[in-house]
Amino acid sequence: DTTIRIWDPSDDYKLLHTLRGHTGEVDNIIAFQVGDNVRLASCSGDTTIRIWDPSDDYKLLYTLKGHTYWVRNIISFQVDGYVRLASCSRDETIIIWDPSNDYKLLYT
């Protein structure tokens, strides 16, 4: 499925939002924090990672491009107090992204 669905477990799993933007099957989605802001990151078979803002009606903020094949997973972590994202792909690469600098690609 190319969509992401946000459900409310406190209200009998009522569907709250359906996020559209990916053109390939979505493999993973994570929540992470940058400063005071919570973000969602999703990865997909369309070779992209998409960044969503839950506080602004799940607006799509960024589409990250750097992989050449299916992005299978994404994680967030901290190094010296800075949040980073790491994505891995079937193109056999891992990319490190910098959320505090417009999601700049730091390392491949």
Side-chain angles (χ1 to χ4, degrees):
D1 189 347
T2 62
T3 63
I4 300 161
R5 292 181 180 88
I6 308 297
W7 306 89
D8 183 353
S10 68
D11 190 10
D12 200 28
Y13 291 91
K14 175 183 172 186
L15 179 62
L16 299 177
H17 297 278
T18 300
L19 311 183
R20 291 178 171 78
H22 284 293
T23 58
E25 182 178 317
V26 176
D27 266 2
N28 193 19
I29 184 167
I30 63 166
F32 64 99
Q33 191 154 346
V34 179
D36 294 333
N37 302 307
V38 173
R39 298 289 185 246
L40 300 179
S42 57
C43 60
S44 166
D46 66 9
T47 75
T48 69
I49 297 146
R50 297 187 187 247
I51 308 297
W52 312 85
D53 183 356
S55 70
D56 189 9
D57 202 31
Y58 294 90
K59 176 181 176 182
L60 176 61
L61 298 176
Y62 295 91
T63 299
L64 310 183
K65 297 178 180 180
H67 289 289
T68 59
Y69 200 53
W70 197 304
V71 185
R72 299 296 296 180
N73 204 356
I74 187 164
I75 64 166
S76 66
F77 63 98
Q78 286 196 11
V79 176
D80 297 327
Y82 294 98
V83 174
R84 299 290 187 247
L85 299 179
S87 56
C88 64
S89 167
R90 284 193 174 173
D91 66 10
E92 300 181 357
T93 63
I94 296 170
I95 296 179
I96 308 299
W97 309 88
D98 182 359
S100 64
N101 189 13
D102 289 327
Y103 296 87
K104 178 181 175 184
L105 188 156
L106 293 177
Y107 307 103
T108 301

mmCIF file with all atom_site columns, all heavy atoms in Angstrom, residues 92-105:
data_model
loop_
_atom_site.group_PDB
_atom_site.id
_atom_site.type_symbol
_atom_site.label_atom_id
_atom_site.label_alt_id
_atom_site.label_comp_id
_atom_site.label_asym_id
_atom_site.label_entity_id
_atom_site.label_seq_id
_atom_site.pdbx_PDB_ins_code
_atom_site.Cartn_x
_atom_site.Cartn_y
_atom_site.Cartn_z
_atom_site.occupancy
_atom_site.B_iso_or_equiv
_atom_site.pdbx_formal_charge
_atom_site.auth_seq_id
_atom_site.auth_comp_id
_atom_site.auth_asym_id
_atom_site.auth_atom_id
_atom_site.pdbx_PDB_model_num
ATOM 1   N N   . GLU A 1 92  ? 21.919 -1.304 -1.374 1.00 0.00 ? 92  GLU A N   1
ATOM 2   C CA  . GLU A 1 92  ? 23.070 -1.670 -0.547 1.00 0.00 ? 92  GLU A CA  1
ATOM 3   C C   . GLU A 1 92  ? 23.805 -0.469 0.018  1.00 0.00 ? 92  GLU A C   1
ATOM 4   O O   . GLU A 1 92  ? 25.020 -0.504 0.244  1.00 0.00 ? 92  GLU A O   1
ATOM 5   C CB  . GLU A 1 92  ? 24.023 -2.602 -1.310 1.00 0.00 ? 92  GLU A CB  1
ATOM 6   C CG  . GLU A 1 92  ? 23.350 -3.890 -1.735 1.00 0.00 ? 92  GLU A CG  1
ATOM 7   C CD  . GLU A 1 92  ? 24.254 -4.842 -2.479 1.00 0.00 ? 92  GLU A CD  1
ATOM 8   O OE1 . GLU A 1 92  ? 25.436 -4.502 -2.741 1.00 0.00 ? 92  GLU A OE1 1
ATOM 9   O OE2 . GLU A 1 92  ? 23.778 -5.941 -2.807 1.00 0.00 ? 92  GLU A OE2 1
ATOM 10  N N   . THR A 1 93  ? 23.068 0.620  0.266  1.00 0.00 ? 93  THR A N   1
ATOM 11  C CA  . THR A 1 93  ? 23.662 1.793  0.903  1.00 0.00 ? 93  THR A CA  1
ATOM 12  C C   . THR A 1 93  ? 22.900 2.132  2.177  1.00 0.00 ? 93  THR A C   1
ATOM 13  O O   . THR A 1 93  ? 21.724 1.798  2.340  1.00 0.00 ? 93  THR A O   1
ATOM 14  C CB  . THR A 1 93  ? 23.642 3.038  -0.009 1.00 0.00 ? 93  THR A CB  1
ATOM 15  O OG1 . THR A 1 93  ? 22.283 3.386  -0.282 1.00 0.00 ? 93  THR A OG1 1
ATOM 16  C CG2 . THR A 1 93  ? 24.398 2.801  -1.296 1.00 0.00 ? 93  THR A CG2 1
ATOM 17  N N   . ILE A 1 94  ? 23.601 2.807  3.061  1.00 0.00 ? 94  ILE A N   1
ATOM 18  C CA  . ILE A 1 94  ? 23.016 3.428  4.251  1.00 0.00 ? 94  ILE A CA  1
ATOM 19  C C   . ILE A 1 94  ? 23.310 4.909  4.115  1.00 0.00 ? 94  ILE A C   1
ATOM 20  O O   . ILE A 1 94  ? 24.453 5.300  3.813  1.00 0.00 ? 94  ILE A O   1
ATOM 21  C CB  . ILE A 1 94  ? 23.645 2.874  5.542  1.00 0.00 ? 94  ILE A CB  1
ATOM 22  C CG1 . ILE A 1 94  ? 23.333 1.384  5.669  1.00 0.00 ? 94  ILE A CG1 1
ATOM 23  C CG2 . ILE A 1 94  ? 23.145 3.659  6.757  1.00 0.00 ? 94  ILE A CG2 1
ATOM 24  C CD1 . ILE A 1 94  ? 24.096 0.687  6.774  1.00 0.00 ? 94  ILE A CD1 1
ATOM 25  N N   . ILE A 1 95  ? 22.298 5.736  4.322  1.00 0.00 ? 95  ILE A N   1
ATOM 26  C CA  . ILE A 1 95  ? 22.484 7.193  4.237  1.00 0.00 ? 95  ILE A CA  1
ATOM 27  C C   . ILE A 1 95  ? 22.157 7.798  5.594  1.00 0.00 ? 95  ILE A C   1
ATOM 28  O O   . ILE A 1 95  ? 21.158 7.438  6.227  1.00 0.00 ? 95  ILE A O   1
ATOM 29  C CB  . ILE A 1 95  ? 21.606 7.816  3.134  1.00 0.00 ? 95  ILE A CB  1
ATOM 30  C CG1 . ILE A 1 95  ? 22.039 7.295  1.754  1.00 0.00 ? 95  ILE A CG1 1
ATOM 31  C CG2 . ILE A 1 95  ? 21.675 9.344  3.180  1.00 0.00 ? 95  ILE A CG2 1
ATOM 32  C CD1 . ILE A 1 95  ? 21.212 7.838  0.600  1.00 0.00 ? 95  ILE A CD1 1
ATOM 33  N N   . ILE A 1 96  ? 23.000 8.737  6.016  1.00 0.00 ? 96  ILE A N   1
ATOM 34  C CA  . ILE A 1 96  ? 22.776 9.498  7.244  1.00 0.00 ? 96  ILE A CA  1
ATOM 35  C C   . ILE A 1 96  ? 22.312 10.891 6.843  1.00 0.00 ? 96  ILE A C   1
ATOM 36  O O   . ILE A 1 96  ? 22.949 11.556 6.013  1.00 0.00 ? 96  ILE A O   1
ATOM 37  C CB  . ILE A 1 96  ? 24.062 9.597  8.101  1.00 0.00 ? 96  ILE A CB  1
ATOM 38  C CG1 . ILE A 1 96  ? 24.687 8.221  8.336  1.00 0.00 ? 96  ILE A CG1 1
ATOM 39  C CG2 . ILE A 1 96  ? 23.775 10.334 9.411  1.00 0.00 ? 96  ILE A CG2 1
ATOM 40  C CD1 . ILE A 1 96  ? 23.817 7.243  9.081  1.00 0.00 ? 96  ILE A CD1 1
ATOM 41  N N   . TRP A 1 97  ? 21.186 11.319 7.434  1.00 0.00 ? 97  TRP A N   1
ATOM 42  C CA  . TRP A 1 97  ? 20.549 12.604 7.121  1.00 0.00 ? 97  TRP A CA  1
ATOM 43  C C   . TRP A 1 97  ? 20.570 13.511 8.354  1.00 0.00 ? 97  TRP A C   1
ATOM 44  O O   . TRP A 1 97  ? 20.508 13.029 9.478  1.00 0.00 ? 97  TRP A O   1
ATOM 45  C CB  . TRP A 1 97  ? 19.096 12.385 6.710  1.00 0.00 ? 97  TRP A CB  1
ATOM 46  C CG  . TRP A 1 97  ? 18.885 11.366 5.646  1.00 0.00 ? 97  TRP A CG  1
ATOM 47  C CD1 . TRP A 1 97  ? 18.715 10.011 5.813  1.00 0.00 ? 97  TRP A CD1 1
ATOM 48  C CD2 . TRP A 1 97  ? 18.803 11.596 4.234  1.00 0.00 ? 97  TRP A CD2 1
ATOM 49  N NE1 . TRP A 1 97  ? 18.535 9.393  4.595  1.00 0.00 ? 97  TRP A NE1 1
ATOM 50  C CE2 . TRP A 1 97  ? 18.584 10.338 3.613  1.00 0.00 ? 97  TRP A CE2 1
ATOM 51  C CE3 . TRP A 1 97  ? 18.885 12.734 3.437  1.00 0.00 ? 97  TRP A CE3 1
ATOM 52  C CZ2 . TRP A 1 97  ? 18.447 10.193 2.235  1.00 0.00 ? 97  TRP A CZ2 1
ATOM 53  C CZ3 . TRP A 1 97  ? 18.746 12.590 2.072  1.00 0.00 ? 97  TRP A CZ3 1
ATOM 54  C CH2 . TRP A 1 97  ? 18.529 11.338 1.484  1.00 0.00 ? 97  TRP A CH2 1
ATOM 55  N N   . ASP A 1 98  ? 20.600 14.815 8.134  1.00 0.00 ? 98  ASP A N   1
ATOM 56  C CA  . ASP A 1 98  ? 20.638 15.803 9.217  1.00 0.00 ? 98  ASP A CA  1
ATOM 57  C C   . ASP A 1 98  ? 19.322 16.578 9.280  1.00 0.00 ? 98  ASP A C   1
ATOM 58  O O   . ASP A 1 98  ? 19.127 17.544 8.531  1.00 0.00 ? 98  ASP A O   1
ATOM 59  C CB  . ASP A 1 98  ? 21.799 16.764 8.992  1.00 0.00 ? 98  ASP A CB  1
ATOM 60  C CG  . ASP A 1 98  ? 21.929 17.802 10.097 1.00 0.00 ? 98  ASP A CG  1
ATOM 61  O OD1 . ASP A 1 98  ? 21.114 17.792 11.041 1.00 0.00 ? 98  ASP A OD1 1
ATOM 62  O OD2 . ASP A 1 98  ? 22.858 18.622 10.009 1.00 0.00 ? 98  ASP A OD2 1
ATOM 63  N N   . PRO A 1 99  ? 18.402 16.199 10.181 1.00 0.00 ? 99  PRO A N   1
ATOM 64  C CA  . PRO A 1 99  ? 17.116 16.898 10.281 1.00 0.00 ? 99  PRO A CA  1
ATOM 65  C C   . PRO A 1 99  ? 17.228 18.363 10.684 1.00 0.00 ? 99  PRO A C   1
ATOM 66  O O   . PRO A 1 99  ? 16.352 19.160 10.368 1.00 0.00 ? 99  PRO A O   1
ATOM 67  C CB  . PRO A 1 99  ? 16.357 16.107 11.359 1.00 0.00 ? 99  PRO A CB  1
ATOM 68  C CG  . PRO A 1 99  ? 17.001 14.771 11.379 1.00 0.00 ? 99  PRO A CG  1
ATOM 69  C CD  . PRO A 1 99  ? 18.443 15.027 11.045 1.00 0.00 ? 99  PRO A CD  1
ATOM 70  N N   . SER A 1 100 ? 18.309 18.751 11.377 1.00 0.00 ? 100 SER A N   1
ATOM 71  C CA  . SER A 1 100 ? 18.433 20.142 11.818 1.00 0.00 ? 100 SER A CA  1
ATOM 72  C C   . SER A 1 100 ? 18.967 21.059 10.718 1.00 0.00 ? 100 SER A C   1
ATOM 73  O O   . SER A 1 100 ? 19.049 22.264 10.902 1.00 0.00 ? 100 SER A O   1
ATOM 74  C CB  . SER A 1 100 ? 19.329 20.230 13.057 1.00 0.00 ? 100 SER A CB  1
ATOM 75  O OG  . SER A 1 100 ? 20.640 19.818 12.740 1.00 0.00 ? 100 SER A OG  1
ATOM 76  N N   . ASN A 1 101 ? 19.322 20.488 9.579  1.00 0.00 ? 101 ASN A N   1
ATOM 77  C CA  . ASN A 1 101 ? 19.869 21.261 8.460  1.00 0.00 ? 101 ASN A CA  1
ATOM 78  C C   . ASN A 1 101 ? 19.129 20.897 7.176  1.00 0.00 ? 101 ASN A C   1
ATOM 79  O O   . ASN A 1 101 ? 19.735 20.450 6.202  1.00 0.00 ? 101 ASN A O   1
ATOM 80  C CB  . ASN A 1 101 ? 21.379 20.993 8.346  1.00 0.00 ? 101 ASN A CB  1
ATOM 81  C CG  . ASN A 1 101 ? 22.072 21.907 7.364  1.00 0.00 ? 101 ASN A CG  1
ATOM 82  O OD1 . ASN A 1 101 ? 21.507 22.905 6.915  1.00 0.00 ? 101 ASN A OD1 1
ATOM 83  N ND2 . ASN A 1 101 ? 23.286 21.557 7.003  1.00 0.00 ? 101 ASN A ND2 1
ATOM 84  N N   . ASP A 1 102 ? 17.797 21.072 7.199  1.00 0.00 ? 102 ASP A N   1
ATOM 85  C CA  . ASP A 1 102 ? 16.942 20.773 6.042  1.00 0.00 ? 102 ASP A CA  1
ATOM 86  C C   . ASP A 1 102 ? 17.143 19.358 5.504  1.00 0.00 ? 102 ASP A C   1
ATOM 87  O O   . ASP A 1 102 ? 17.064 19.132 4.300  1.00 0.00 ? 102 ASP A O   1
ATOM 88  C CB  . ASP A 1 102 ? 17.146 21.789 4.917  1.00 0.00 ? 102 ASP A CB  1
ATOM 89  C CG  . ASP A 1 102 ? 16.568 23.143 5.258  1.00 0.00 ? 102 ASP A CG  1
ATOM 90  O OD1 . ASP A 1 102 ? 15.543 23.197 5.968  1.00 0.00 ? 102 ASP A OD1 1
ATOM 91  O OD2 . ASP A 1 102 ? 17.139 24.153 4.823  1.00 0.00 ? 102 ASP A OD2 1
ATOM 92  N N   . TYR A 1 103 ? 17.434 18.431 6.413  1.00 0.00 ? 103 TYR A N   1
ATOM 93  C CA  . TYR A 1 103 ? 17.564 17.013 6.061  1.00 0.00 ? 103 TYR A CA  1
ATOM 94  C C   . TYR A 1 103 ? 18.664 16.771 5.025  1.00 0.00 ? 103 TYR A C   1
ATOM 95  O O   . TYR A 1 103 ? 18.553 15.908 4.165  1.00 0.00 ? 103 TYR A O   1
ATOM 96  C CB  . TYR A 1 103 ? 16.216 16.432 5.618  1.00 0.00 ? 103 TYR A CB  1
ATOM 97  C CG  . TYR A 1 103 ? 15.228 16.457 6.767  1.00 0.00 ? 103 TYR A CG  1
ATOM 98  C CD1 . TYR A 1 103 ? 14.449 17.578 7.005  1.00 0.00 ? 103 TYR A CD1 1
ATOM 99  C CD2 . TYR A 1 103 ? 15.121 15.382 7.622  1.00 0.00 ? 103 TYR A CD2 1
ATOM 100 C CE1 . TYR A 1 103 ? 13.558 17.618 8.072  1.00 0.00 ? 103 TYR A CE1 1
ATOM 101 C CE2 . TYR A 1 103 ? 14.246 15.421 8.690  1.00 0.00 ? 103 TYR A CE2 1
ATOM 102 C CZ  . TYR A 1 103 ? 13.471 16.542 8.909  1.00 0.00 ? 103 TYR A CZ  1
ATOM 103 O OH  . TYR A 1 103 ? 12.616 16.583 9.978  1.00 0.00 ? 103 TYR A OH  1
ATOM 104 N N   . LYS A 1 104 ? 19.719 17.523 5.165  1.00 0.00 ? 104 LYS A N   1
ATOM 105 C CA  . LYS A 1 104 ? 20.873 17.371 4.268  1.00 0.00 ? 104 LYS A CA  1
ATOM 106 C C   . LYS A 1 104 ? 21.439 15.959 4.387  1.00 0.00 ? 104 LYS A C   1
ATOM 107 O O   . LYS A 1 104 ? 21.542 15.386 5.464  1.00 0.00 ? 104 LYS A O   1
ATOM 108 C CB  . LYS A 1 104 ? 21.957 18.390 4.663  1.00 0.00 ? 104 LYS A CB  1
ATOM 109 C CG  . LYS A 1 104 ? 23.215 18.310 3.858  1.00 0.00 ? 104 LYS A CG  1
ATOM 110 C CD  . LYS A 1 104 ? 24.221 19.339 4.341  1.00 0.00 ? 104 LYS A CD  1
ATOM 111 C CE  . LYS A 1 104 ? 25.536 19.162 3.612  1.00 0.00 ? 104 LYS A CE  1
ATOM 112 N NZ  . LYS A 1 104 ? 26.546 20.088 4.129  1.00 0.00 ? 104 LYS A NZ  1
ATOM 113 N N   . LEU A 1 105 ? 21.830 15.378 3.241  1.00 0.00 ? 105 LEU A N   1
ATOM 114 C CA  . LEU A 1 105 ? 22.504 14.091 3.212  1.00 0.00 ? 105 LEU A CA  1
ATOM 115 C C   . LEU A 1 105 ? 23.930 14.309 3.734  1.00 0.00 ? 105 LEU A C   1
ATOM 116 O O   . LEU A 1 105 ? 24.678 15.107 3.175  1.00 0.00 ? 105 LEU A O   1
ATOM 117 C CB  . LEU A 1 105 ? 22.524 13.554 1.781  1.00 0.00 ? 105 LEU A CB  1
ATOM 118 C CG  . LEU A 1 105 ? 23.022 12.146 1.555  1.00 0.00 ? 105 LEU A CG  1
ATOM 119 C CD1 . LEU A 1 105 ? 22.432 11.590 0.261  1.00 0.00 ? 105 LEU A CD1 1
ATOM 120 C CD2 . LEU A 1 105 ? 24.518 12.042 1.542  1.00 0.00 ? 105 LEU A CD2 1
#
